[in-house]
Amino acid sequence: MARTYWKPGTIIYPLPAVMVSCGETPEEYNIITIAWTGTINSDPPMCYISVRPGRHSYEIIKRTGEFVINLTTEKLAKATDWCGCRSGRKFNKWKEMNLTPGEAKYVKAPIIEESPVNIECRVKEIVELGSHHMFISEVLGVSIDDTYINEKDAFSFSKANPLVYSHGHYFGMGKKIGKFGWSVEKKRKRKK
């Protein structure tokens, strides 16, 4: 099989396309779109976001030590992209994209009410990596819009239609293929 070799790069895709909200007061509330994000620990629950130091939100998050990761949906695709292309220095992203800042339970940064899942985070460490600095953070709380809870009291991805980012493009998630452990599950015997 032929292979093409590229220079080293970031091609671990897809990634969640999230909107990160930050700020302590309504006057400084801002939103930055991030794809460099993920889970890094289960107990205690921890995650990260990586932000370029030149971004408007960088200084806000560094100073306050708090932010909210707001998961996005296909319905929020335009707002997600717009908030990643425009600077909070020049635009009120909340107003421009008709997004609603809501009160978080554990941090001063607002949640985005239109987001199906809001993950409240407190920065534990900032690692300067090069083009981006990684904010390693503890998850303090998670809120989920009841619209997206299924009959088993679990978050329903199929109802939310989450948005992912892959190599410069946004995509929906597609259909469910399996669940954790399905490949090794013992088959149940049918009763006669």
Side-chain angles (χ1 to χ4, degrees), residues 149-167:
I149 302 292
N150 67 20
E151 61 282 348
K152 295 181 181 179
D153 287 330
F155 178 68
S156 173
F157 280 96
S158 61
K159 285 183 183 179
N161 296 315
L163 190 65
V164 296
Y165 176 84
S166 183
H167 211 58

Side-chain angles (χ1 to χ4, degrees), residues 72-148:
T72 60
T73 63
E74 290 179 24
K75 187 176 177 182
L76 289 169
K78 181 178 179 182
T80 302
D81 184 62
W82 197 91
C83 288
C85 294
R86 299 290 186 233
S87 174
R89 288 183 186 99
K90 297 180 180 179
F91 295 94
N92 179 330
K93 297 179 184 183
W94 301 90
K95 186 177 178 182
E96 295 287 338
M97 288 292 102
N98 296 312
L99 296 171
T100 311
E103 187 175 342
K105 186 173 181 178
Y106 300 100
V107 298
K108 291 180 181 174
I111 66 168
I112 297 175
E113 291 281 352
E114 292 76 10
S115 170
V117 178
N118 317 100
I119 305 164
E120 299 178 42
C121 303
R122 179 162 296 133
V123 177
K124 301 301 270 180
E125 183 180 352
I126 302 171
V127 181
E128 297 181 11
L129 298 170
S131 64
H132 290 69
H133 293 182
M134 179 187 288
F135 290 86
I136 296 173
S137 305
E138 183 176 2
V139 175
L140 303 178
V142 176
S143 62
I144 300 173
D145 182 331
D146 288 344
T147 306
Y148 303 103

Side-chain angles (χ1 to χ4, degrees), residues 16-31:
V18 302
M19 290 190 282
V20 173
S21 49
C22 59
E24 291 182 320
T25 64
E27 296 76 37
E28 79 168 349
Y29 285 171
N30 194 41
I31 302 167

Side-chain angles (χ1 to χ4, degrees), residues 43-95:
D43 188 14
M46 295 181 74
C47 61
Y48 78 93
I49 60 170
S50 288
V51 183
R52 287 182 184 268
R55 300 288 189 236
H56 179 61
S57 294
Y58 176 89
E59 287 301 326
I60 296 171
I61 295 168
K62 185 176 180 181
R63 178 177 45 78
T64 64
E66 298 178 341
F67 60 90
V68 178
I69 296 173
N70 302 276
L71 298 189
T72 60
T73 63
E74 290 179 24
K75 187 176 177 182
L76 289 169
K78 181 178 179 182
T80 302
D81 184 62
W82 197 91
C83 288
C85 294
R86 299 290 186 233
S87 174
R89 288 183 186 99
K90 297 180 180 179
F91 295 94
N92 179 330
K93 297 179 184 183
W94 301 90
K95 186 177 178 182

